[in-house]
Amino acid sequence: MRRCALAWSWLAMVGLACSRGELQRNDGGAGGGQLAGLAGGTGSGGDGAPAGAGGGPGGSTGDAGHSGSAGISGGGGVGGGVAGAAGARGPTVQVTYDVLLPQASIAWPMVGVDDQDTAVVVGPRVTSEIDPGPQVDWIPRQGPGHSAIFPNALTPSVLAVDPSGAVWLAGQLYRAVDFGGTTLQPVNDGYYLVRLNPDGSLAVARAVARPSLVTVYNATTDAQGNVYAVGEVYTAGSPPIASVFVTKFSPAGDELFNREFACQGTSAYAADVAVAPNGDLFIVGTYGYPLQIGSALLPLPSSSLGSAFVAALDPGTGEPRWATRIGGMTFDVGNAISVTSTGALRVAGMLSGQATVGGLLTRGTNDGSPFVAELTPTGAGNWVTIIDGTGIVFEADTNAADHTFAVGYVKQTATTNQTFVADVAGGVARLALRAPVSGQAGGAQFVAADRHGGAWVTGSFAGVIDFGLGPLDAGGADMLGNFLLHLEP
């Protein structure tokens, strides 16, 4: 865990307006480098939704939650007002904002959140058949936001936000890129790594050259501002070999270690990486041939096309501490990993048929079901939650209250899927969002949890999609579009 040019910038298209004390969609906002603060909205009758914190600049105080039975506090809205009154039990979060984003053939929008609840949205700056270069938008909880546009760069495939609010970006380097002052020349088998300051200015830019083809799938940062990149290395030869890689860089972009773990064939990659509160390092991914991680040789049943894995690594050296297989006899995928406040691991992806997760036996559909599981820091299973249907979790993120927001889809018909946002806590999944989406589009693909119980989501759709606030139209039934949405308690 992925077409008519528009002259508007992202900032104009993602204009946030204060009206009726709510965060509103504004498809043609004023732009000009300003984003209105997220105003307080009506408190929802949420299922134990925490007290909201009311309105931002220009927003009204959050209204009372809708009345009902056995309600815990209704949310007060986004910002700085008072909490809502008791509300009815209902979905944990709901969509409060959505907007159409530009779409390019080889780039998707991504979203992250910093520790001040500023959302960072990265994607193509205009709709185009080719990569038009990225735009980065900072959307704060209160006050104006800002943008940075990089027409001479390539839209990244990886986004991470460090504790200082700096933004790390990584992507393929098949042509020269410039993020504002340093031009990186292309390297055949490597990638670029860039750190932007919170104001959008360039802090670090480096080309990472490798002797074999490298694809970066994800990255995260630790409390010291180091960044860990993960993905796949493909080494040509007889036979060709795929390897999982993990590379650690300092805040200055210096390489601190690079570890590769080879499989016995051409399919293995790390899809995600997470750092625990105590600094421990964990990765998740998928392999299609037996995979060696340290002293552990992870097997693959002869009937299986692929299995998921989780591994713990020393954060200082990258040396493996333990590794374990997740899956069954058919095909299983590990796409996301995050860590709870207590150090437990939350893992998500797809399980098919009967499968084992940390010693726990569970079952997905024969063609694979989305799942979220919790493991101990040593890899033992606490619980596994299967989301009914055939589909997958693309990405997941866990907030400080240990709610994991997982995004993906389940199949509805031969040509349509139902994209979802699941709020998973205590082993129970609540589908906060379900919306039909054409099978040619991915639906919800990226998610970032905020500190106030909500989440930002980006993804893709074809034709028209409606998240409950009215339709977003990509410009025709066969046209692809991207979206940004926000869910709040």
Side-chain angles (χ1 to χ4, degrees):
M1 279 297 289
R2 281 174 157 96
R3 304 178 165 119
C4 2
L6 298 177
W8 298 333
S9 74
W10 258 30
L11 197 55
M13 297 178 69
V14 190
L16 304 183
C18 292
S19 174
R20 293 183 291 110
E22 299 174 1
L23 175 60
Q24 298 291 316
R25 181 196 304 169
N26 185 352
D27 293 306
Q34 299 294 313
L35 288 171
L38 307 194
T42 299
S44 68
D47 176 24
S60 65
T61 297
D63 298 326
H66 302 299
S67 62
S69 60
I72 307 178
S73 294
V78 185
V82 299
R89 297 186 66 83
T92 53
V93 291
Q94 60 186 347
V95 177
T96 58
Y97 168 81
D98 64 3
V99 72
L100 184 69
L101 296 180
Q103 195 278 336
S105 299
I106 59 173
W108 294 269
M110 302 173 292
V111 63
V113 177
D114 70 12
D115 65 356
Q116 301 300 310
D117 264 3
T118 295
V120 182
V121 185
V122 182
R125 59 188 175 87
V126 295
T127 294
S128 173
E129 289 288 342
I130 61 174
D131 187 347
Q135 177 164 324
V136 184
D137 284 304
W138 285 261
I139 308 174
R141 187 172 173 81
Q142 298 182 6
H146 61 282
S147 295
I149 297 173
F150 304 101
N152 297 317
L154 291 165
T155 303
S157 58
V158 167
L159 162 68
V161 184
D162 77 12
S164 73
V167 177
W168 288 92
L169 307 172
Q172 299 308 115
L173 191 52
Y174 57 84
R175 64 169 170 81
V177 302
D178 187 345
F179 279 87
T182 299
T183 300
L184 300 176
Q185 298 303 317
V187 294
N188 288 335
D189 295 321
Y191 57 95
Y192 70 77
L193 181 69
V194 166
R195 180 165 66 89
L196 303 179
N197 294 315
D199 64 359
S201 61
L202 181 66
V204 172
R206 64 165 295 167
V208 182
R210 293 289 186 252
S212 300
L213 179 62
V214 173
T215 304
V216 187
Y217 281 14
N218 224 321
T220 195
T221 65
D222 62 19
Q224 290 73 45
N226 301 301
V227 62
Y228 303 81
V230 299
E232 176 182 9
V233 181
Y234 181 86
T235 302
S238 183
I241 294 295
S243 301
V244 170
F245 85 83
V246 184
T247 309
K248 180 180 181 178
F249 299 92
S250 74
D254 299 320
E255 186 174 311
L256 301 179
F257 69 68
N258 180 59
R259 297 294 177 188
E260 297 181 9
F261 310 113
C263 80
Q264 297 176 3
T266 57
S267 177
Y269 60 89
D272 199 7
V273 56
V275 177
N278 67 357
D280 287 347
L281 182 65
F282 301 93
I283 61 173
V284 68
T286 305
Y287 63 98
Y289 299 85
L291 175 65
Q292 188 82 45
I293 300 182
S295 62
L297 178 61
L298 303 182
L300 189 73
S302 60
S303 60
S304 177
L305 297 175
S307 281
F309 72 88
V310 177
L313 310 177
D314 185 293
T317 66
E319 288 292 332
R321 292 174 171 172
W322 58 260
T324 186
R325 173 179 177 262
I326 290 176
M329 306 299 291
T330 309
F331 184 67
D332 308 285
V333 177
N335 270 346
I337 190 167
S338 54
V339 186
T340 70
S341 61
T342 62
L345 311 181
R346 296 277 172 87
V347 181
M350 183 185 77
L351 297 174
S352 58
Q354 184 170 283
T356 301
V357 182
L360 303 177
L361 194 62
T362 189
R363 178 176 289 276
T365 67
N366 290 338
D367 292 328
S369 294
F371 83 95
V372 179
E374 183 176 281
L375 308 178
T376 68
T378 57
N382 288 334
W383 48 258
V384 183
T385 295
I386 299 291
I387 297 173
D388 290 342
T390 294
I392 194 169
V393 172
F394 289 128
E395 191 173 64
D397 193 22
T398 301
N399 67 15
D402 295 338
H403 282 242
T404 295
F405 293 98
V407 299
Y409 74 85
V410 292
K411 293 190 69 65
Q412 284 189 305
T413 70
T415 59
T416 61
N417 298 325
Q418 187 178 75
T419 191
F420 65 80
V421 178
D423 179 356
V424 185
V428 178
R430 300 288 301 274
L431 292 184
L433 168 69
R434 287 178 287 186
V437 62
S438 169
Q440 65 179 303
Q445 296 171 26
F446 299 92
V447 61
D450 64 31
R451 298 185 306 159
H452 293 78
W456 291 87
V457 178
T458 59
S460 64
F461 69 99
V464 176
I465 195 166
D466 193 335
F467 298 112
L469 303 180
L472 295 177
D473 191 339
D478 297 326
M479 300 296 289
L480 295 178
N482 292 323
F483 62 81
L484 167 71
L485 60 89
H486 192 213
L487 298 97
E488 279 287 321

